[in-house]
Each structure stands twice: as structure tokens, then as C-alpha cells.
Amino acid sequence: MKKFNGMESNLIIDALQFYVAQVEKDILELEKEGKTSIFAPGFYTMISKELINKVKSMTKKEKV
């Protein structure tokens, strides 16, 4: 399997962080409205940390 280059890795991580921030905000808004989400606050943040580590492990190391 081909590894990500630095730009691809950064793009994926940035998009993931943007998505997680939005979803966490949506979950908190639901709770304020008295509704319950199928996912607890912090769930997506926890999963995203694992995904970020996986993306980093699948990224080419820069030559120095």
C-alpha cells in the first residue's frame, strides 16, 4: 500500500479535526435542546486521536 505524502497527511488531519469540532458542537447543541445524541460528547474526539495516529503512521517520513 502506498503511503501518504506530507501534504496529503496534513489535508486528511485538518479535515478530520474540522469535522470533529463541528460534530462535537452539534452534540452539545442537541443536549442544550434537551435531546440526546447516540454518541456522547468526546466520542468523536477520542476516535479522531486514533485515526490521526493511524494517518501519521501511514505517512512517508521526510528525508532530512
Side-chain angles (χ1 to χ4, degrees):
M1 173 183 276
K2 291 181 87 177
K3 291 190 170 201
F4 299 117
N5 64 36
M7 187 206 66
E8 293 168 332
S9 176
N10 288 336
L11 177 64
I12 292 168
I13 291 171
D14 287 347
L16 180 61
Q17 290 172 335
F18 177 78
Y19 175 76
V20 168
Q22 184 62 48
V23 171
E24 291 288 348
K25 180 181 163 195
D26 292 345
I27 290 171
L28 293 175
E29 286 179 14
L30 280 174
E31 287 185 343
K32 284 182 185 176
E33 296 172 4
K35 300 175 183 176
T36 55
S37 171
I38 206 169
F39 299 105
F43 173 77
Y44 282 98
T45 301
M46 179 181 64
I47 297 299
S48 72
K49 289 178 184 177
E50 294 175 20
L51 285 172
I52 289 170
N53 287 334
K54 190 179 279 189
V55 168
K56 286 181 179 179
S57 73
M58 295 177 64
T59 301
K60 292 179 187 175
K61 305 299 180 223
E62 289 187 27
K63 296 179 183 176
V64 180

